[in-house]
Amino acid sequence: MAEPAGTIAIYQGIVASRLRSQLAYRTSFWLDLIAQAFGQTIELLAIMVVFTQVSTLGGFTAAEVVLIFGLASCAFGLADLCVGQVEKLPEYIRTGEFDVMLLRPLGTLPQLLSADVALKRVGRIGVGLVAYGWALTRLDLAWTPLTVLVAVTAPLVGAVILGALWVAANAVSFWVVDGREVANAVTYGSNFTTSYPITVYGPWLRRLMCYAVPGAFVAYFPALALLDRPDPLGLPEALRYAAPLIAVLAVVGAGTIWRLGVRHYQGTGS
């Protein structure tokens, strides 16, 4: 059900106040932003170091791997910016703050997501966009309307998939009071695994990323669509265009898990 216009305005006001408070301390904000960008740059440099020793990685050239890395970085950065706050759920449950959210006439998930929007995470997105743009210009891609559509929407669709995984993974805290480590294994683990072609992983991990935790649809399959090359693993060609459908299913699944968790939530007793 859609949120009333007045309720949306409340969320917008909360987010705006959070952003203004961060920008009030500009030096601290820029240092945090640079630190985020630096950390992501180090991950990119690690890939480049690998290619000083090999010519291909999992059957992909350096520019093709950077394309996958750029897609994954943009998607993860956007997901982190928009829904990364949900990882504070275990703390809110433990301290009783989540009980306060339940008393308000607002949705619990939107309240949680608007509680602390860390604008510094834009630094990660910036590095991802630079890597993505460099790869798109370096590779000899056959530009068609479909290719352009995939290039524009893939980072956004990937962000939706990762965001849904983020919500679903952290919702385990409704049953396990401190489920942060379980959630981090899914969220930050997905950030690492989606940055490389799935051909570098073993069969069991590839199946996990394709059919259980759909990380392969964040960057790998969209990259195949952009490159217009067959999958080295021989997977169906339709999968390279299935990311939007997977995103919808992921959102529905995450929403179902969240509502189920809230329905059965009984507090910590503290």
Side-chain angles (χ1 to χ4, degrees), residues 5-158:
T7 302
I8 294 176
I10 292 174
Y11 294 137
Q12 290 175 337
I14 294 173
V15 172
S17 68
R18 298 291 187 268
L19 298 181
R20 285 195 300 269
S21 66
Q22 294 172 56
L23 294 174
Y25 302 93
R26 295 187 181 276
T27 301
S28 176
F29 166 73
W30 283 108
L31 288 175
D32 287 340
L33 188 98
I34 292 171
Q36 288 273 323
F38 181 75
Q40 195 69 7
T41 301
I42 291 298
E43 295 184 22
L44 177 58
L45 290 177
I47 294 176
M48 294 295 97
V49 169
V50 170
F51 277 100
T52 62
Q53 304 299 317
V54 299
S55 58
T56 62
L57 184 63
F60 291 79
T61 66
E64 291 171 341
V65 173
V66 171
L67 176 68
I68 294 173
F69 173 87
L71 274 170
S73 295
C74 291
F76 184 85
L78 288 169
D80 193 15
L81 177 66
C82 296
V83 305
Q85 305 81 273
V86 77
E87 67 183 13
K88 292 187 177 181
L89 178 62
E91 177 184 344
Y92 281 28
I93 291 176
R94 188 170 55 252
T95 60
E97 291 184 62
F98 190 77
D99 298 73
V100 177
M101 290 184 174
L102 289 170
L103 297 175
R104 296 171 183 156
L106 298 170
T108 53
L109 184 56
Q111 285 187 73
L112 187 59
L113 298 186
S114 61
D116 182 23
V117 179
L119 196 58
K120 64 182 181 182
R121 293 163 179 160
V122 172
R124 182 189 295 270
I125 301 172
V127 174
L129 284 173
V130 170
Y132 187 40
W134 178 86
L136 288 177
T137 56
R138 185 69 179 269
L139 293 164
D140 185 19
L141 303 180
W143 290 104
T144 65
L146 180 58
T147 305
V148 172
L149 180 63
V150 172
V152 172
T153 61
L156 302 176
V157 173

Side-chain angles (χ1 to χ4, degrees), residues 138-226:
R138 185 69 179 269
L139 293 164
D140 185 19
L141 303 180
W143 290 104
T144 65
L146 180 58
T147 305
V148 172
L149 180 63
V150 172
V152 172
T153 61
L156 302 176
V157 173
V160 172
I161 294 173
L162 289 176
L165 291 176
W166 215 308
V167 171
N170 281 276
V172 72
S173 297
F174 287 121
W175 292 273
V176 180
V177 175
D178 193 358
R180 186 185 299 272
E181 296 305 320
V182 176
N184 286 349
V186 175
T187 55
Y188 292 98
S190 295
N191 177 42
F192 175 78
T193 55
T194 57
S195 298
Y196 295 87
I198 65 172
T199 50
V200 304
Y201 304 119
W204 71 270
L205 186 54
R206 290 200 297 264
R207 286 192 288 270
L208 179 69
M209 293 178 65
C210 286
Y211 305 115
V213 181
F217 293 91
V218 172
Y220 178 72
F221 286 125
L224 290 180
L226 291 172

